[in-house]
Amino acid sequence: MGRKTLIPEEKWEGLRHAMEEAGRVKGAARPTGEVGRKAAEGKKEGKGKKKGEKKKKGRKGGKGKGKKNGGKKGKKGKKKGKK
Amino acid sequence: MRKITVINQKGGTGKTTTAVNLGAALAELGREVLLVDLDPQAGLTESLGVDTADRPTVGELLTGKAEPREAFHALGHLTVLPASPGLAEIEKRILRERPSDYPLALKEALAGLRGFDFAIVDCPPSLGALSLMGMVYSGSLLIPLQTHYMALNGLEKVLGMVKTIRDAGFPMEILGILPCMYDVRTSLSRQVEEHLRETLRDKVFRTVIRQSVSLAEAPARSMDVLSYQPHGRGAEDYRALAQEVLRHG
């Protein structure tokens, strides 16, 4: 049984964003817990991933950047191939 | 001297209570503390029973009509720079007379001040000119937050203001967000506190100010809560906050 959430998650996401904008949040403010899980799940669904925890850990460790780079490399590779 | 501005756009979040009692808790630890009342409602001034009838107040300081020491009112280790209702008019006048650099007014008025370990500024419940002066003076904000839904809107606005001020080139840090009026019996209080910590992490003070009748009663006796009920919940919480502020450096 999940407990009743009294404050919409968008509110917390807005606050997190406002704090990031306002300055530094030590420890890179990626939300954790329920808010963070849902945010992560949303992104995973978009990318067709199934399990959140693994990906979350990976992204924290910088896998996201690696992926981006990988993607770019791939594109570059293709371009090179075409040329 | 460590400067802290207590601010929140929303009224009734515990700004004045926090300014007075954090100041009193630091004074109890032997620190020399200046409390600056920047609110035309003069809640801080009244809650400590400071009589401003024949003395200059912060308004006269801001307009250069008095020196800081003339307006100070000493209460042991605590010194109060009081406000009066006339501050609202003075705010308008300062805006008219120096529209481009009014945020610097308090900083200039208190420049070179010595003899204090802490200066704590209590702002009005708005993000107007006086609050801006308070923010620019200290560059360090303590944001009391009622553990209720509506209080979160006020917090978001303060954070927006911080960004604006930083973008204008003034240094600004958020010392911490202080959950206030916390009622452990309500799931709303518990959820707000829990999510605040999850979302804003180390920007939330570990100390929580619990709901306490003594915090509401103390001003009626012109006392801080540490003098009014030294072993009560309110005194305990503000002592914990003072320790946390000292650890923060």
Side-chain angles (χ1 to χ4, degrees), chain B residues 14 26 48 62 89-90 120 124 152 156 170 181 191-192 223 227 230-231 234 236 241 249:
Chain B
L26 289 166
L48 289 173
L62 291 171
E89 273 309 307
I90 290 173
I120 301 174
L152 300 176
E156 217 169 321
F170 295 105
M181 300 176 197
Q191 272 194 30
V192 168
M223 292 164 94
S227 312
H231 305 294
E236 255 177 41
L241 178 64

Side-chain angles (χ1 to χ4, degrees), chain B residues 1-7 15 18-19 22-23 26 33-38 44 106 110 117-123 133-144 172-176 178 205 241-242 244-246 248-249:
Chain B
M1 179 168 65
R2 185 87 170 86
K3 301 170 194 165
I4 300 168
T5 296
V6 184
I7 189 162
K15 284 184 291 298
T18 296
L22 172 61
L26 289 166
V33 181
L34 173 66
L35 293 178
V36 181
D37 192 351
L38 260 192
L44 185 149
L106 184 64
L110 294 177
D117 300 304
F118 284 89
I120 301 174
V121 182
D122 182 31
C123 288
M133 290 176 205
M135 291 166 91
V136 168
Y137 167 66
S138 74
S140 177
L141 310 182
L142 189 161
I143 308 171
M172 193 69 50
E173 65 149 357
I174 293 162
L175 177 64
L178 178 67
F205 281 107
L241 178 64
E244 205 175 337
V245 167
L246 287 174
H248 195 277

Side-chain angles (χ1 to χ4, degrees), chain B residues 170-222:
Chain B
F170 295 105
M172 193 69 50
E173 65 149 357
I174 293 162
L175 177 64
I177 293 157
L178 178 67
C180 286
M181 300 176 197
Y182 180 80
D183 186 347
V184 73
R185 295 167 302 178
T186 67
S187 57
L188 180 60
S189 267
R190 292 196 303 272
Q191 272 194 30
V192 168
E193 193 221 351
E194 187 182 316
H195 281 246
L196 257 186
R197 294 192 191 285
E198 282 180 0
T199 309
L200 304 180
R201 298 188 173 196
D202 64 348
K203 285 295 169 191
V204 182
F205 281 107
R206 287 183 177 198
T207 306
V208 168
I209 308 299
R210 293 166 289 176
Q211 205 158 42
S212 157
V213 177
S214 63
L215 288 171
E217 287 175 350
R221 301 283 184 92
S222 301

Side-chain angles (χ1 to χ4, degrees), chain B residues 34 36 55-58 60-62 64-74 79-82 106-114 116 137:
Chain B
L34 173 66
V36 181
R55 307 180 72 148
T57 61
V58 69
E60 282 70 45
L61 226 76
L62 291 171
K65 289 181 179 168
E67 290 297 313
R69 301 277 169 191
E70 295 175 65
F72 287 171
H73 187 107
T79 298
V80 180
L81 173 51
L106 184 64
K107 195 169 187 166
E108 289 171 3
L110 294 177
L113 193 64
R114 290 185 181 187
F116 294 103
Y137 167 66

